[in-house]
Amino acid sequence: SFVIDPEGGLCYTWAALVTFAVFYNFCIVLLRIAFKEVRNELFYRMIYWPLDVISDIIYLVDILVQFRTAYRDDHGIMINTPKLLALNYCSKIPFFLDALSVFPLETTLPFTLVQPSVWFRCLRLLKWHCVLRFFVISDLRTNKPNRLRVVKLALYLGLALHWVACGYYMISEYEGLGSNSWVYPEASGEDGKKYIKSLYWSILTLTTIGETPEPSTNLEHVFTSAMFLFGIFVFAAVVGNVGDVISNMNAARTDFQTKMDYIKSYMEHHKVPEDLQNRAKRWAYYAWSRHSDALGMLPLRLRAELAIHVHLATLKKVKIFKDCDEGLLCELVLKLRPQIFSPGDYICRCGEIGREMYIINHGKVEVVVPDSTTGEKIVVASLTEGNYFGEISLLRLDEGRNRRSADVRSVGYSELLWLSQKDLMSELYSRVMHVVV
């Protein structure tokens, strides 16, 4: 059955198309609500009705696409079973937002005597989460993150100016065109001029330049005051003050994005192949999402207590440590080192010299051996959290050259803890010397 790779180019291209449709609705819906000429005149209806149909089709198809889009589970394993994909999508909030955003389908009644209200199309705005998801994916894929953020800021700013302009004209029409100096003058002239003058008022207000007429009614005072406050926020966002506040509130992500920007620039400068770039970026994002260095802020003693609490029980299950003193096991737990493997990475190969053992902290790995007759690789075991392998490598057998008896590869993203033979022997030596002394 056909399943879409969420990390592939096809999925990204479709996300871009959906984002375009969402932006179209965010721009056109309020424009039609505010300006009755755009809403009622046949000329405008001949333009926006086909676009409405196209955007509605994109919305509907997107629901089908989401039912067939694979995803990674908590272990980083790609899930592509159609039934599981459908259950996962239906259990998420975006599914309900997507379903609401396509109803009612007023485009099924074009050019009839019964014209549905344009307010119905406000439900199309519920799909804004697709825009946010698209920019998150774009930030992951792009090698020019700063340019992307500038484009995103410009789009948000333009959308805000457009909405305020439409809101100003709607209030002017409600108060009565030309009824005072604040509202839009008496209706006259071209339709485009009405929007341009309303947009001009929006720009003056949001940029806090002022020089707008004094409001007269309570509604005009409230709207103008709200727009001035909103304009201060927009201005602060443009100059970067809001960005600094957000960065301070989310310092960990900001630091990660800074490191990722450097990595992206490095790979771009050295013309690293795109496939290798994507693997490196996906690994970095997964490692960051697992908070692999989050414990670094804790003091050493507290980190040791946490490590013992989390990993001591697992280490006791290893046969060669079964009858060991708990003090020795606590010391060995502190010597465990984390390492993350990407999907398909080989952790160890058959025949190579083993010098460490591994404990699976998160994820899933497969033990693979070649068939004795055909030579084809066969999966003989699957190991998950709490399992371990390679413990025989810690023993100095065969003059210390212990050969691996099978290949072990990661199924999804796997976080393993490894203990080296050197660390084990060093700890045993120190304890023996302590007893001798």
Side-chain angles (χ1 to χ4, degrees):
S1 57
F2 178 70
V3 175
I4 300 174
D5 180 7
E7 300 168 355
L10 177 62
C11 186
Y12 180 68
T13 302
W14 176 254
L17 185 62
V18 174
T19 299
F20 178 81
V22 175
F23 263 107
Y24 162 78
N25 282 307
F26 262 83
C27 293
I28 299 301
V29 168
L30 196 62
L31 185 70
R32 287 155 59 181
I33 292 175
F35 297 91
K36 62 182 180 181
E37 295 85 357
V38 178
R39 182 170 64 250
N40 297 327
E41 290 186 8
L42 181 61
F43 172 75
Y44 292 108
R45 288 169 56 194
M46 290 286 291
I47 295 175
Y48 66 69
W49 184 82
L51 297 176
D52 286 349
V53 173
I54 293 174
S55 70
D56 288 351
I57 291 174
I58 292 175
Y59 275 38
L60 286 169
V61 174
D62 184 58
I63 295 178
L64 301 179
V65 169
Q66 297 306 316
F67 273 109
R68 287 290 181 172
T69 301
Y71 70 96
R72 293 192 181 276
D73 63 8
D74 294 337
H75 302 300
I77 300 173
M78 187 71 75
I79 305 299
N80 51 23
T81 305
K83 184 177 180 179
L84 294 179
L85 299 183
L87 290 174
N88 177 71
Y89 179 49
C90 292
S91 65
K92 300 295 180 64
I93 293 179
F95 167 72
F96 298 98
L97 296 178
D98 293 345
L100 286 173
S101 67
V102 297
F103 292 104
L105 286 173
E106 82 282 4
T107 50
T108 58
L109 299 173
F111 307 108
T112 64
L113 295 177
V114 182
Q115 282 297 323
S117 173
V118 70
W119 288 93
F120 288 160
R121 291 200 68 82
C122 288
L123 290 173
R124 303 297 186 271
L125 309 186
L126 294 176
K127 212 170 174 65
W128 180 253
H129 66 92
C130 293
V131 176
L132 302 179
R133 182 182 62 192
F134 170 73
F135 281 123
V136 169
I137 299 174
S138 297
D139 191 65
L140 169 64
R141 296 174 64 95
T142 184
N143 291 318
K144 307 291 184 182
N146 292 327
R147 293 184 184 179
L148 174 66
R149 290 159 196 165
V150 169
V151 171
K152 182 168 65 172
L153 178 61
L155 288 174
Y156 288 168
L157 181 60
L159 196 59
L161 292 171
H162 171 73
W163 273 54
V164 172
C166 293
Y168 166 72
Y169 188 84
M170 289 172 66
I171 293 177
S172 297
E173 198 168 43
Y174 174 78
E175 296 279 339
L177 298 178
S179 59
N180 58 53
S181 61
W182 184 88
V183 301
Y184 189 87
E186 189 70 32
S188 61
E190 300 177 356
D191 299 332
K193 186 177 180 180
K194 296 178 182 179
Y195 177 76
I196 292 174
K197 291 191 68 173
S198 299
L199 185 63
Y200 176 71
W201 185 94
S202 173
I203 294 173
L204 288 180
T205 305
L206 291 188
T207 55
T208 65
I209 294 176
E211 298 185 5
T212 56
E214 184 74 17
S216 302
T217 66
N218 291 337
L219 178 59
E220 294 170 4
H221 276 93
V222 170
F223 182 75
T224 305
S225 300
M227 291 306 100
F228 274 129
L229 292 175
F230 183 58
I232 293 174
F233 173 80
V234 171
F235 182 74
V238 172
V239 299
N241 292 335
V242 172
D244 293 338
V245 172
I246 295 175
S247 296
N248 292 332
M249 293 174 61
N250 197 6
R253 184 172 186 87
T254 301
D255 181 62
F256 170 73
Q257 287 180 338
T258 302
K259 294 177 181 178
M260 281 301 301
D261 291 348
Y262 173 78
I263 294 173
K264 291 175 181 178
S265 300
Y266 175 86
M267 294 189 295
E268 180 71 12
H269 176 73
H270 290 280
K271 302 187 184 305
V272 177
E274 184 176 354
D275 180 63
L276 183 56
Q277 289 188 36
N278 290 334
R279 287 177 55 198
K281 288 184 283 189
R282 290 169 190 160
W283 184 95
Y285 270 85
Y286 179 80
W288 178 78
S289 68
R290 289 287 301 160
H291 305 287
S292 57
D293 59 348
L295 298 180
M297 61 181 292
L298 299 176
L300 181 61
R301 183 168 181 174
L302 187 54
R303 292 207 306 269
E305 292 181 12
L306 287 173
I308 292 171
H309 174 76
V310 174
H311 304 303
L312 181 60
T314 302
L315 200 59
K316 286 181 177 180
K317 296 178 182 178
V318 181
K319 291 183 179 180
I320 62 175
F321 298 135
K322 186 176 182 180
D323 298 321
C324 289
D325 176 66
E326 187 162 323
L328 172 62
L329 296 181
C330 290
E331 293 297 330
L332 293 180
V333 164
L334 301 181
K335 297 182 182 296
L336 293 174
R337 297 179 176 87
Q339 187 172 0
I340 294 177
F341 293 89
S342 300
D345 282 355
Y346 279 86
I347 301 164
C348 58
R349 295 272 190 176
C350 180
E352 69 180 11
I353 298 176
R355 296 186 176 88
E356 58 278 315
M357 70 162 291
Y358 296 91
I359 298 174
I360 303 174
N361 187 42
H362 187 84
K364 181 180 179 181
V365 302
E366 294 177 334
V367 181
V368 182
V369 297
D371 186 271
S372 58
T373 56
T374 62
E376 183 181 354
K377 292 186 177 181
I378 302 175
V379 177
V380 296
S382 294
L383 306 178
T384 56
E385 290 182 26
N387 294 133
Y388 57 89
F389 58 92
E391 68 278 9
I392 302 301
S393 299
L394 299 181
L395 305 177
R396 288 185 174 274
L397 304 177
D398 190 21
E399 299 181 357
R401 295 181 297 175
N402 301 320
R403 301 285 179 174
R404 303 287 191 187
S405 58
D407 295 338
V408 180
R409 68 186 177 198
S410 176
V411 179
Y413 285 99
S414 302
E415 181 180 351
L416 275 59
L417 302 171
W418 60 277
L419 175 66
S420 69
Q421 183 189 81
K422 180 180 179 181
D423 287 337
L424 173 62
M425 295 304 171
S426 175
E427 183 60 32
L428 291 175
Y429 178 78
S430 64
R431 295 178 74 85
V432 170
M433 293 301 297
H434 178 73
V435 171
V436 172
V437 174

